[in-house]
Amino acid sequence: MTGTSGPAAATAGATGAAPRAAGAAIGVLVVDDDFMVARVHRAFVERVDLFRVVGVAGTGEEALAAVGELRPDLVLLDLYLPDVFGLDVIPRLRAAGHDCDVMVVSAAREADAVRGAVRHGVVDYLLKPFEFEDLRVRLERYAAQRGRLLGAVVRSQADVDRVLAGSAPAAAVPALPKGMSVETAELVERTLRGADGTLSASECAALTGVSRVSARRYLEYFHTVGTAEVSLRYGVAGRPERRYRFRGRPTGLGTAGGATRPHPREG
């Protein structure tokens, strides 16, 4: 870029960004304080058709300056930044008049972080560490949703419903941790949702056919993302038993297949 100075210019120069013409690829700003991680994420993005990285930022302030200078369509935003919490960057972007979309890419597994991201209108939430395919699927889904929004012609409520139906679910569903399968997660969630009262890991294992260890892992995952609440039942001796109760909306995992059998490695 020419005729610029300051952090945004440094960011643009470091990443080789150039002005984008109308109809060009979807421009992405990668925000991560670990330069090695940022390099990997940049390489992942640039392997996906229709996307190219226009800049990289390592702090929240750098991200704000880079968005103002480079005008990306999408920001891949880490939450654990050295100067500000990543979610606090989003309202500052909006206050400055920037309408870029934001996809959270973070190791933050706290339910409050996920809920906060949804309230801030992020288009997706991807947990670190992840593989290229995990990001590719989300970027391609985002591209499809973006095209649908940009090309939408609203003549009736049905048109509005079609646009919202295509764009709403993604932000609410964080990626499963590595080693967990969508099929087993959907099975455990359905079992938990249908339980009369609370459910222990042992009871869940008996109902689903997975091992007690696997059932406990999935139940704890649902507790982490806010879908389940945990209570303790104290017996005569030994440690208290952790019991789980469904508390939130279904995550939407496995909605395409309706599988009822656990992943073979988790039995």
Side-chain angles (χ1 to χ4, degrees):
M1 301 182 65
T2 60
T4 57
S5 60
T11 303
T15 58
R20 285 175 292 137
I26 296 172
V28 179
L29 175 69
V30 175
V31 182
D32 200 292
D33 66 322
D34 188 322
F35 77 94
M36 290 298 293
V37 172
R39 181 180 298 176
V40 171
H41 292 176
R42 173 176 184 164
F44 281 176
V45 171
E46 293 185 335
R47 289 173 59 186
V48 183
D49 290 341
L50 301 179
F51 289 86
R52 78 179 181 94
V53 174
V54 299
V56 175
T59 69
E61 293 299 332
E62 288 180 4
L64 290 164
V67 168
E69 184 69 29
L70 304 173
R71 301 289 176 171
D73 302 299
L74 176 67
V75 177
L76 293 190
L77 180 65
D78 187 20
L79 297 187
Y80 296 138
L81 300 174
D83 53 346
V84 297
F85 188 55
L87 290 183
D88 294 333
V89 172
I90 301 176
R92 293 179 62 183
L93 287 173
R94 303 304 178 228
H98 302 306
D99 62 355
C100 55
D101 293 315
V102 176
M103 181 183 299
V104 170
V105 176
S106 177
R109 300 171 182 267
E110 298 86 353
D112 284 346
V114 178
R115 286 193 291 266
V118 173
R119 284 195 295 270
H120 280 88
V122 303
V123 298
D124 216 324
Y125 194 114
L126 180 57
L127 288 175
K128 296 180 181 177
F130 55 85
E131 303 296 331
F132 165 68
E133 284 299 312
D134 299 320
L135 181 60
R136 180 190 65 79
V137 168
R138 283 160 176 78
L139 288 178
E140 290 180 347
R141 181 168 59 197
Y142 165 74
Q145 293 169 354
R146 184 171 182 269
R148 191 160 43 237
L149 287 168
L150 292 177
V153 176
V154 179
R155 299 189 182 93
S156 66
Q157 182 63 49
D159 295 327
V160 175
D161 293 342
R162 274 193 295 273
V163 172
L164 294 181
S167 60
V173 185
L176 287 171
K178 190 173 182 179
M180 295 177 69
S181 75
V182 170
E183 293 83 2
T184 305
E186 193 271 342
L187 173 61
V188 172
E189 183 194 84
R190 188 167 60 250
T191 302
L192 180 64
R193 193 167 63 244
D196 183 14
T198 62
L199 200 64
S200 69
S202 296
E203 292 165 347
C204 182
L207 290 169
T208 59
V210 304
S211 68
R212 186 189 65 80
V213 172
S214 289
R216 170 73 177 269
R217 185 183 182 200
Y218 283 89
L219 290 168
E220 285 294 327
Y221 164 75
F222 289 131
H223 173 53
T224 298
V225 300
T227 304
E229 60 184 15
V230 175
S231 59
L232 299 179
R233 175 179 292 179
Y234 292 86
V236 177
R239 293 187 299 177
E241 180 184 53
R242 293 175 67 84
R243 300 192 65 83
Y244 304 84
R245 181 192 300 273
F246 183 78
R247 60 170 295 181
R249 296 180 304 171
T251 62
L253 294 166
T255 53
T260 58
R261 298 174 63 184
H263 192 282
R265 290 180 297 178
E266 298 171 331

